[in-house]
Amino acid sequence: MQARSTLSRLRWLAVPAVVAPLLACQPDADPAGPNGRLLASRNGVPSTESLASPAWQGTAGTLVAQARILPCAAGRLYAFVGVAQYLAVQRAEAAVGGTDAADFVSSPDGIGRGGRSRLETDRGAVAGASAVVLAYLFPSQAQALEAMVTAQANAGPGQPHPAFAAGEAIGRAVGAEIVTRAQTDGWDHPFTGTIPTGDGFWKSNTDPATVACGQLPGVRPWFLTSASQFRSAPPPAFGPDPLSPFQVALAEILDIALHRTQAQIDLATFWAQSTGTPTTPGIWLQRATAGITEHGLSERQATHLYALVSATMADAQVGCWDTKETFWFIRPWQANPAITVVAAVGKPNHPSYPSGHSCTSASAAEVLSTFFPEQRAELDAMVIAAGLSRMYGGIHYRFDIDAGQLLGRSVAGWAIAADASGHSVLTP
């Protein structure tokens, strides 16, 4: 047992170089976010500074933090924004002919054979779709969001460009379609199930008993055929036998709680990403933005990545909560009151098995690794860090982490294949 816990602490030493850069990623206080200057860049690919989508993704993260959205609810909101952006760009490009990926390849001026018109069409489509979706999700910010559209329209010389307005109109129409989906995806149907009681079952933090995001298994997924498609196998049986898999796993968390290092507390605190932050899905979208910047992706490529990552994370959360509400497994601190919880992590009001952080993180990393295969080792290290952070925080067993990672990767594999088929929700 001690050797296993020591291994957990040693694993932390392998990830600070990956996690440290993210510590500086905090939400911007301005809900409108950056406007983005229009700059040409290397190899005929537009600079990320000229893209509209990263600024809108950053704005979404800021609004999630300001509104104190629960992490288990945030993934759904990010997916609406990402999918709307990508569908809007595809539809706008279809309206003018061709795709930006083809047009930018051999352009000598850094804008593309479609010229400024193509660039502005894409930017307008993203701005229109994002503003409509975010105004629905955060109605008190509608005026600031419209100001952001205007700022982006006026960002370049001789603006506003007529192609921006044309793209914006298409984007707003797509945004309205996504809002309709949001209104009918099942989120508004409250949890009406029965929370079991007795030995080995999770106990709600509230009286009467509630479960955070209990309606998630009933939410319409983007790619999955059902919430239970990748339901995890049962967790270890609850019981008092000190040699049983459950008691061994529980003893590991107790040992961590009794001997926490500052490094473990720091990791648990960073990955807590609870209300008042962009949440765990937001952290992974920040990682997507970093990849977009590093690789100089076009607007179409960037929005494709945002859409696939965010929709996959949303589906992973749906599948995760299906498993949680199938087994209703007890949290470590409930199984042994001697287990303390890191203050910044708190006590999530939903069952232990599997780990939501691991479901989300593994699904996001798998998609990002498909786009940036040379970064797989770094992304996998982040998944490990996210999982260990929940053990260090005192709120998850190792088997929660393992099951969550498996579920997340399974969802991602399914989503990636669906997207590659050209016949998915990401296809106009």
Side-chain angles (χ1 to χ4, degrees):
M1 215 317 294
Q2 180 64 37
R4 191 67 178 273
S5 182
T6 299
L7 176 60
S8 298
R9 288 193 286 271
L10 288 175
R11 282 183 178 175
W12 151 247
L13 299 177
V15 298
V18 176
V19 176
L22 291 175
L23 292 172
C25 296
Q26 298 300 326
D28 194 321
D30 177 8
N35 298 324
R37 294 177 292 120
L38 299 182
L39 298 175
S41 73
R42 61 192 182 280
N43 301 325
V45 178
S47 166
T48 303
E49 292 183 68
S50 72
L51 303 185
S53 51
W56 286 102
Q57 290 288 333
T59 295
T62 297
L63 295 176
V64 164
Q66 290 178 343
R68 301 186 64 80
I69 302 296
L70 287 172
C72 54
R76 170 177 171 268
L77 307 191
Y78 285 124
F80 292 140
V81 178
V83 173
Q85 289 179 339
Y86 184 43
L87 291 177
V89 167
Q90 291 179 86
R91 195 173 296 179
E93 289 186 351
V96 298
T99 67
D100 75 336
D103 284 346
F104 282 124
V105 166
S106 59
S107 167
D109 61 6
I111 295 177
R113 286 195 299 271
R116 176 57 59 77
S117 294
R118 175 57 54 81
L119 183 65
E120 295 295 350
T121 297
D122 288 352
R123 284 166 46 80
V126 168
S130 302
V132 169
V133 171
L134 287 172
Y136 166 72
L137 298 173
F138 305 99
S140 67
Q141 297 297 326
Q143 184 175 352
L145 294 166
E146 289 302 323
M148 185 171 172
V149 174
T150 300
Q152 287 191 332
N154 293 322
Q159 300 297 78
H161 195 286
F164 186 99
E168 180 188 340
I170 293 172
R172 288 184 183 276
V174 172
E177 294 170 9
I178 295 298
V179 167
T180 298
R181 178 188 173 109
Q183 293 170 331
T184 59
D185 71 345
W187 177 261
D188 291 335
H189 300 161
F191 171 77
T192 57
T194 300
I195 300 175
T197 59
D199 292 344
F201 288 118
W202 165 79
K203 302 173 183 64
S204 175
N205 298 345
T206 63
D207 186 14
T210 60
V211 54
C213 298
Q215 68 270 52
L216 263 176
V219 169
R220 178 186 175 192
W222 294 94
F223 300 106
L224 297 181
T225 58
S226 70
S228 63
Q229 183 176 351
F230 294 107
R231 181 180 291 170
S232 303
F238 177 84
D241 181 355
L243 299 180
S244 68
F246 167 72
Q247 286 294 339
V248 170
L250 180 64
E252 180 180 22
I253 304 307
L254 175 61
D255 180 67
I256 289 172
L258 295 176
H259 304 96
R260 280 193 190 97
T261 66
Q262 188 58 50
Q264 290 173 334
I265 294 172
D266 290 344
L267 188 67
T269 299
F270 169 72
W271 278 105
Q273 295 298 321
S274 54
T275 54
T277 74
T279 72
T280 305
I283 288 297
W284 285 101
L285 286 166
Q286 289 175 6
R287 188 64 188 83
T289 298
I292 289 166
T293 301
E294 292 165 12
H295 290 77
L297 300 190
S298 68
E299 195 81 81
R300 184 188 181 100
Q301 293 166 331
T303 56
H304 185 190
L305 176 57
Y306 285 135
L308 187 54
V309 170
S310 59
T312 299
M313 288 192 293
D315 275 14
Q317 289 186 317
V318 168
C320 188
W321 257 250
D322 167 78
T323 298
K324 283 179 179 287
E325 294 177 23
T326 295
F327 300 110
W328 297 98
F329 205 75
I330 191 170
R331 290 278 184 173
W333 77 82
Q334 297 173 333
N336 187 336
I339 293 175
T340 57
V341 171
V342 172
V345 174
K347 297 179 176 180
N349 193 37
H350 47 80
S352 191
Y353 180 83
S355 163
H357 267 52
S358 290
C359 291
T360 299
S361 296
S363 69
E366 196 66 25
V367 174
L368 288 166
S369 295
T370 300
F371 277 74
F372 312 121
E374 78 285 356
Q375 296 180 7
R376 179 173 288 276
E378 294 179 20
L379 295 165
D380 286 346
M382 289 178 64
V383 174
I384 292 172
L388 289 175
S389 77
R390 308 309 267 176
M391 294 170 62
Y392 296 160
I395 67 168
H396 275 298
Y397 314 94
R398 184 178 293 276
F399 55 75
D400 292 343
I401 309 305
D402 293 341
Q405 290 177 0
L406 177 59
L407 189 153
R409 290 192 178 101
S410 298
V411 171
W414 181 266
I416 291 166
D419 177 57
S421 74
H423 301 286
S424 76
V425 289
L426 301 188
T427 307

